[in-house]
Amino acid sequence: MEMDMKFVRKLPIPKKVKEQFPVDATIAAIKETRDREMKAIFEGTLDKFLLIIGPCSADNEDSVLDYTYRLAKIQEKVKDKVFIIPRIYTNKPRTTGAGYKGLVHQPDPDKAPDMFEGLVKVRELHTRAIRETGLTCADEMLYPENHRYVSDILSYAAIGARSVENQQHRLTASGIGIPVGMKNPTSGDLSVMMNGIIAAQSSHTFLYRGWEVHTDGNPYAHAILRGSVDRFGTSSPNYHYEDLNRLYEIYQDANLKNMSVMVDTNHANSGKKYLEQIRISKEVLHSIRLNPSLRGFVKGLMIESYIEDGAQKIGDGCYGKSITDPCLGWKKSEKLIYDIAELW
């Protein structure tokens, strides 16, 4: 029985795709300005609260851009306090490999995978978001070798709970010029996450896309607390006041270049009960107000939000409703953003 990989076609290298689908000077200028501002937040020289918010998966270009337009209008109103990064996640980890793997695999969730079309659609979606709304976005670095396809348009990268222990993810994170958030693993072991941050903030020489490369380290690599799941499948949160203070102490002992944490309000922190994100967001902000040390340490929140509350199955056809994890609907999200600005 034949078990080897079947090589379907050779895909163009990132440089060729960038040449075919280039960014113009306007987009480059927007990215440069926003990157500078976000780095200042992580450096502690700009006192704004970072909010990475958007759908669990960017499954539909029209509804994702509709959502991003709405965020842009709110960004203008809360710009003195909150810095919004739309969550446009085009790569989706699948625990068993089954299910929707994201736009990069399936530009149309109802059709067969097409990896080249997926790479093009990812570039188009992120580029349109910047050009049309003025907001640069976040994506998950599920496949480290794919980062170069979007390295000129992405402003934030997240490394997931199942990837954070992987050496290629850690070393690649050390050589990209944007903030990289590293989640604690599903086990909740903070030492795994911290080792990932140490690796990402350090310099390395390694093999990447057929090249020997050298990196100087990424000072903007930081923690993301997303809760944990025990061997019985029970979720345990790690966003409470005590958890934030404990991580602050761990950071101090590690003597890292940058002391920063984001709190993921969904996943195991909410037990995937998406409405809990409202309460969790406010509790984190309350914790920051209780302890001045946390003000500069907790940089912001990650919230899963879309146009409609909840989730649906692929093919159900509800506009702006997640086809992966359930999300907070727009009206609740809008109110929450204003509440966050008020509490900061």
Side-chain angles (χ1 to χ4, degrees):
M1 182 179 178
E2 186 66 44
M3 298 291 289
D4 290 344
M5 292 182 185
K6 295 176 178 61
F7 288 78
V8 178
R9 57 179 165 169
K10 178 73 173 176
L11 296 175
I13 63 172
K15 182 180 179 182
K16 294 296 182 183
V17 175
K18 287 176 177 176
E19 288 172 353
Q20 190 175 355
F21 303 95
V23 299
D24 56 33
T26 301
I27 289 175
I30 292 170
K31 176 171 159 55
E32 182 181 358
T33 299
R34 285 192 32 101
D35 285 1
R36 190 185 312 117
E37 190 169 354
M38 182 157 52
K39 287 175 181 177
I41 293 172
F42 280 101
E43 290 165 355
T45 58
L46 180 62
D47 186 28
K48 288 188 181 181
F49 197 69
L50 186 61
L51 189 58
I52 299 174
I53 184 169
C56 176
S57 56
D59 59 294
N60 179 282
E61 184 172 336
D62 290 340
S63 55
V64 168
L65 285 170
D66 179 353
Y67 178 89
T68 309
Y69 270 108
R70 300 181 192 204
L71 280 183
K73 290 178 181 178
I74 297 183
Q75 173 66 100
E76 185 60 30
K77 296 177 182 178
V78 300
K79 63 183 179 181
D80 292 337
K81 290 190 173 184
V82 179
F83 188 88
I84 296 176
I85 296 283
R87 173 190 164 107
I88 297 184
Y89 276 29
T90 60
N91 307 265
K92 290 304 298 177
R94 304 282 83 184
T95 306
T96 65
Y100 180 62
K101 297 183 180 69
L103 191 71
V104 72
H105 281 263
Q106 287 177 273
D108 186 334
D110 293 312
K111 295 181 181 178
D114 187 325
M115 299 302 296
F116 176 68
E117 186 183 350
L119 290 170
V120 171
K121 287 292 185 183
V122 167
R123 270 194 75 80
E124 285 182 347
L125 179 54
H126 277 285
T127 303
R128 281 192 66 190
I130 301 170
R131 180 184 295 115
E132 296 177 26
T133 72
L135 300 179
T136 48
C137 308
D139 205 338
E140 179 168 355
M141 194 171 74
L142 183 61
Y143 307 110
E145 65 272 19
N146 285 358
H147 176 74
R148 298 299 301 177
Y149 287 104
V150 290
S151 60
D152 55 339
I153 50 179
L154 207 61
S155 276
Y156 183 96
I159 294 179
R162 296 162 190 84
S163 302
V164 69
E165 202 163 2
N166 178 270
Q167 179 158 302
Q168 189 75 357
H169 283 81
R170 293 175 172 187
L171 301 191
T172 302
S174 75
I176 65 177
I178 56 175
V180 179
M182 312 194 84
K183 291 193 175 185
N184 64 262
T186 53
S187 68
D189 185 347
L190 297 184
S191 68
V192 171
M193 176 185 70
M194 294 305 297
N195 287 338
I197 296 168
I198 292 169
Q201 290 195 6
S202 303
S203 62
H204 302 279
T205 299
F206 61 101
L207 182 68
Y208 183 71
R209 298 191 60 89
W211 287 76
E212 177 183 331
V213 299
H214 178 79
T215 63
D216 292 326
N218 185 346
Y220 304 105
H222 59 276
I224 303 173
L225 294 177
R226 51 88 70 200
S228 63
V229 180
D230 67 18
R231 60 196 177 112
F232 302 109
T234 303
S235 294
S236 297
N238 59 8
Y239 62 84
H240 294 303
Y241 180 78
E242 295 80 8
D243 298 305
L244 298 174
N245 279 293
R246 174 60 183 145
L247 183 60
Y248 183 83
E249 293 171 359
I250 292 172
Y251 252 106
Q252 285 187 311
D253 292 340
N255 194 30
L256 288 165
K257 298 174 186 174
N258 180 299
M259 287 185 56
S260 300
V261 62
M262 298 286 293
V263 176
D264 180 345
T265 63
N266 213 14
H267 298 99
N269 267 333
S270 69
K272 292 193 177 181
K273 297 175 182 177
Y274 67 94
L275 293 173
E276 287 292 285
Q277 295 184 102
I278 299 170
R279 179 190 58 78
I280 292 167
S281 298
K282 292 178 180 179
E283 180 174 328
V284 171
L285 283 156
H286 179 64
S287 296
I288 294 171
R289 297 177 82 170
L290 287 175
N291 184 348
S293 296
L294 296 180
R295 174 90 183 189
F297 179 51
V298 181
K299 301 300 185 185
L301 299 169
M302 305 183 86
I303 298 172
E304 290 195 319
S305 156
Y306 212 175
I307 295 170
E308 299 294 336
D309 278 322
Q312 64 181 328
K313 293 181 180 178
I314 294 175
D316 283 357
C318 181
Y319 178 83
K321 192 170 187 177
S322 176
I323 60 170
T324 44
D325 288 350
C327 296
L328 201 63
W330 176 252
K331 289 183 179 179
K332 297 182 182 71
S333 301
E334 183 179 27
K335 184 178 185 306
L336 179 58
I337 295 171
Y338 290 132
D339 288 345
I340 288 169
E342 186 70 27
L343 290 167
W344 181 244

